[in-house]
Amino acid sequence: MAYTDKVIDHYENPRNVGTFGTQKEIKERSDVGVGLVGAPECGDVMQLQIKVDDAGKIEDAKFKCFGCGSAIASSSLATEWLKGKSLDEGLEIKNTQIVEELSLPPVKIHCSVLAEDAIRAAIKDYKTKNGIESEAAHAH
Amino acid sequence: MSVDLPIYLDNAATTRTDPRVVEAMLPYFTEIYGNPGSRNHGFGWVAEDGIDTARQQVADLIGADRKEIIFTSGSTESNNLAIKGAASMYAKGPAGSTGRGHIITALHEHKATLDPCKRLQKEGFDVTYLEPGRDGLITAEMVKGAMREDTILVTIMWANNELGTINEIPEIGKLCKEHGAIFHTDATQWVGKMPTNVNTDNIDLLSLSGHKMYGPKGVGALYVRRRRPRVRLTAIQEGGGQERGFRSGTLNVSGIVGLGKACELCAAEMDSEQERLLKLRQKIEQRITSELDTVQVNGHADKRLPHLTNISFGFVEGESMMMAIKEIAVSSGSACTSASLEPSYVLKALGVGDDLAHSSLRISMGRYTTEAEVDYAIDKIIESVKKLRELSPLYDMHNEGIDITKIEWQAH
């Protein structure tokens, strides 16, 4: 399969790899939201973490990904885009933008969908932890 | 020592044609181009001489008589002819009826065996698909347990193409003889690498392929026993009556000559190659299992082909693994690259967990594999697994003592 240079670049030099603590620590931190999406049996698991400052801006984002090159690139790109955004702005990131930026082929579109899901899940987790009214659960 | 990249470690998929084979074939394109079926002139006679020599070379490699060798286009055709041809010949009832006879095969056979069996099921035959144990082996005991009064055919591969596990072929053959069932083995991965004798190994029908043993692609053979019992088959491809009517069509003379030469070379080099490749395989397995945690060598510990290993790496996804080791040509146990997200059905049949089955490599060495290449590949694989585990949320969870099978994942 031919990957685009952008996918290869993210795969070889993934941005913002890591976590803000162990699973247990993360659960207790109210300034961090986690999105864990996908399933091992499907060959894709994405973990996206956002760290939100007092002003409600995403000051940092980190990811880990078990998945193909496109999944790694999609989550790496998502962390880049999230940094400096407000929660509402973060929710505006759409999978189609990821597809476009990375020129993902049709068989890899699910990777971008997963990245969007991870973003939404992380923001939702942060809001839940902080008692912020969340948007109505969206169907997909 | 330096190595040239890329490195080819996918010899179970196909092999490089040996230059000595190519040399033997060349005259049969432009000089000896007659049709061996032309019995009335010299062009045909010399072509037939080439075929006769090749037939003997193939027969010698498997301890058969040359009259028992039917040339085909490869193992897929050989399997189809053997399985459908025998089922049709030994059927207990006419086409269109049910209960036409019972066939035994295994869940993790090659598709070129499974699909003909599925076809026969639709045509009124009963098929039992044996489930292998966790070691991937099919034993004579398993076949015995499935044997019925109306069993007409047993088809079990000699060595599995994904795992290299070696089934109990001579014992299964003996059992079939006692029950009066025809025994076919797909020996594509076995012949040329391991000693074969159709008589002492109790085989009635055997498929082999040229390109898995340094011969050309598009040519293979089916061994069809002529004595005790004389095995009969219904032809699939009909026409000019070549190959004693078993397989009509003008013979692929240059290909067949190449197959013959490949068999001769394999016979001559078998012992030393077996020993050399086994050492390399042991080195791969020893280093990978000692330098990485949560890895698993699939298949039986000892009963395995010397040149092939299948290793699963926990918490690493197959396609990203292939991307990380892109200058090393191996086969991925995961079929993710083909857009279907299904892990290998062979590994599934063994009960290898989905997470492990998603990241399995089949490494298969061959005549041209050097120790320096193997060393390079091992280093690269270990480095890549470590890198991908740095990225893997599953590996973190594993290290934090979280059982990932207990998490409620949202499959998408």
Side-chain angles (χ1 to χ4, degrees):
Chain A
M1 166 156 337
Y3 280 106
T4 60
D5 290 345
K6 277 184 183 163
V7 171
I8 292 169
D9 180 42
H10 275 283
Y11 172 79
E12 284 177 354
N13 313 291
R15 331 289 200 253
N16 312 308
V17 175
T19 64
F20 295 111
T22 63
Q23 299 287 325
K24 195 168 169 284
E25 288 163 2
I26 290 301
K27 247 181 210 152
E28 287 157 9
R29 280 184 70 164
S30 61
D31 62 334
V32 172
V34 192
L36 182 65
V37 296
E41 65 264 31
C42 301
D44 289 301
V45 174
M46 243 178 233
Q47 177 183 270
L48 189 71
Q49 301 186 346
I50 51 168
K51 187 162 169 272
V52 184
D53 68 13
D54 295 339
K57 277 231 176 318
I58 299 169
E59 61 172 329
D60 203 357
K62 289 193 183 297
F63 87 96
K64 288 223 170 183
C65 178
F66 162 89
C68 65
S70 300
I72 291 169
S74 298
S75 35
S76 169
L77 180 66
T79 58
E80 274 196 323
W81 281 357
L82 281 170
K83 280 198 201 181
K85 283 198 165 59
S86 69
L87 297 178
D88 287 344
E89 286 165 348
L91 287 171
E92 280 165 22
I93 297 173
K94 293 284 174 278
N95 84 291
T96 47
Q97 296 167 303
I98 295 171
V99 171
E100 197 176 327
E101 174 68 16
L102 298 174
S103 308
L104 296 180
V107 297
K108 293 299 178 189
I109 287 176
H110 71 275
C111 299
S112 68
V113 174
L114 206 59
E116 187 188 316
D117 286 351
I119 292 170
R120 290 177 174 277
I123 292 173
K124 188 172 171 230
D125 182 54
Y126 174 82
K127 285 183 171 173
T128 309
K129 276 178 177 172
N130 291 277
I132 301 168
E133 195 79 357
S134 192
E135 49 164 353
H138 75 288
H140 53 129
Chain B
M1 212 199 302
S2 73
V3 293
D4 288 331
L5 298 177
I7 295 170
Y8 190 72
L9 290 173
D10 203 9
N11 287 275
T14 194
T15 56
R16 174 188 172 199
T17 311
D18 192 305
R20 294 169 288 183
V21 167
V22 177
E23 202 184 329
M25 291 170 69
L26 285 176
Y28 288 86
F29 288 98
T30 52
E31 294 158 42
I32 312 170
Y33 53 81
N35 187 331
S38 300
R39 295 281 157 77
N40 54 351
H41 55 65
F43 291 86
W45 301 334
V46 286
E48 194 176 23
D49 285 347
I51 297 289
D52 286 346
T53 304
R55 208 182 290 282
Q56 191 63 53
Q57 287 164 322
V58 176
D60 287 346
L61 183 64
I62 60 171
D65 185 280
R66 67 188 168 90
K67 292 198 192 87
E68 299 175 309
I69 304 300
I70 305 299
F71 290 116
T72 66
S73 62
S75 278
T76 294
E77 187 191 338
S78 295
N79 284 357
N80 272 270
L81 176 56
I83 296 167
K84 293 180 189 164
S88 162
M89 183 58 77
Y90 296 93
K92 304 269 184 201
S97 61
T98 52
R100 298 180 70 200
H102 178 232
I103 297 165
I104 300 173
T105 185
L107 269 181
H108 61 325
E109 286 284 318
H110 193 275
K111 296 283 185 194
T113 292
L114 293 176
D115 285 356
C117 286
K118 280 181 198 154
R119 165 69 63 104
L120 290 170
Q121 256 178 310
K122 285 185 194 143
E123 294 178 0
F125 294 89
D126 287 341
V127 180
T128 297
Y129 298 91
L130 295 174
E131 226 173 286
R134 287 196 69 100
D135 56 10
L137 237 54
I138 295 297
T139 64
E141 207 53 41
M142 294 177 188
V143 176
K144 195 175 180 182
M147 200 64 97
R148 301 192 331 208
E149 193 69 25
D150 64 339
T151 304
I152 53 172
L153 173 70
V154 175
T155 172
I156 298 291
M157 68 195 342
W158 205 318
N160 184 274
N161 55 305
E162 278 194 39
L163 305 165
T165 46
I166 300 167
N167 295 319
E168 293 182 358
I169 294 305
E171 295 82 359
I172 295 171
K174 185 164 172 278
L175 183 79
C176 290
K177 245 187 190 59
E178 289 162 10
H179 281 77
I182 299 293
F183 179 46
H184 167 249
T185 185
D186 174 358
T188 309
Q189 299 289 348
W190 172 272
V191 166
K193 282 113 186 176
M194 303 294 276
T196 309
N197 185 305
V198 288
N199 292 313
T200 53
D201 293 328
N202 308 315
I203 290 155
D204 295 325
L205 296 163
L206 175 147
S207 302
L208 63 90
S209 171
H211 76 103
K212 305 285 193 194
M213 48 170 153
Y214 316 99
K217 294 168 182 61
V219 64
L222 178 66
Y223 158 79
V224 183
R225 175 169 289 282
R226 264 166 73 90
R227 281 158 172 235
R228 291 189 303 161
R230 182 186 182 94
V231 175
R232 294 172 304 147
L233 300 173
T234 304
I236 292 176
Q237 183 161 306
E238 295 167 312
Q242 287 89 346
E243 297 300 271
R244 296 178 22 241
F246 281 120
R247 202 272 191 181
S248 288
T250 297
L251 294 174
N252 167 10
V253 182
S254 56
I256 289 167
V257 166
L259 171 64
K261 184 69 185 177
C263 286
E264 182 192 283
L265 294 172
C266 281
E269 296 172 12
M270 191 180 294
D271 293 349
S272 57
E273 273 298 273
Q274 217 179 308
E275 197 180 329
R276 183 180 79 88
L277 295 174
L278 179 62
K279 277 189 189 139
L280 292 179
R281 192 198 85 193
Q282 286 166 339
K283 187 176 194 180
I284 296 172
E285 291 171 357
Q286 198 276 329
R287 276 199 57 202
I288 287 180
T289 53
S290 65
E291 293 177 39
L292 292 171
D293 62 272
T294 333
V295 293
Q296 174 179 316
V297 177
N298 296 309
H300 194 275
D302 310 313
K303 292 178 183 169
R304 235 156 8 100
L305 291 173
H307 61 282
L308 191 158
T309 185
N310 184 313
I311 306 176
S312 293
F313 302 88
F315 316 113
V316 174
E317 187 275 334
E319 194 181 316
S320 59
M321 182 69 191
M322 296 299 270
M323 206 169 159
I325 56 168
K326 59 181 183 293
E327 66 271 74
I328 303 168
V330 296
S331 173
S332 168
S334 144
C336 284
T337 42
S338 63
S340 84
L341 290 167
E342 276 297 292
S344 151
Y345 73 95
V346 172
L347 293 177
K348 274 188 143 175
L350 262 63
V352 175
D354 275 328
D355 48 334
L356 278 172
H358 258 294
S359 45
S360 303
L361 299 182
R362 178 188 70 179
I363 304 166
S364 50
M365 299 169 289
R367 187 175 284 166
Y368 304 101
T369 306
T370 66
E371 183 159 14
E373 287 178 328
V374 167
D375 288 338
Y376 183 94
I378 299 170
D379 287 342
K380 190 74 193 173
I381 290 168
I382 291 173
E383 176 199 316
S384 303
V385 170
K386 285 184 174 165
K387 181 194 156 183
L388 290 169
R389 282 181 175 174
E390 282 286 302
L391 275 174
S392 172
L394 302 178
Y395 191 57
D396 278 352
M397 291 175 190
H398 168 72
N399 287 333
E400 289 171 28
I402 299 167
D403 183 353
I404 63 164
T405 62
K406 298 273 188 315
I407 295 177
E408 275 185 43
W409 300 101
Q410 303 128 24
H412 54 102

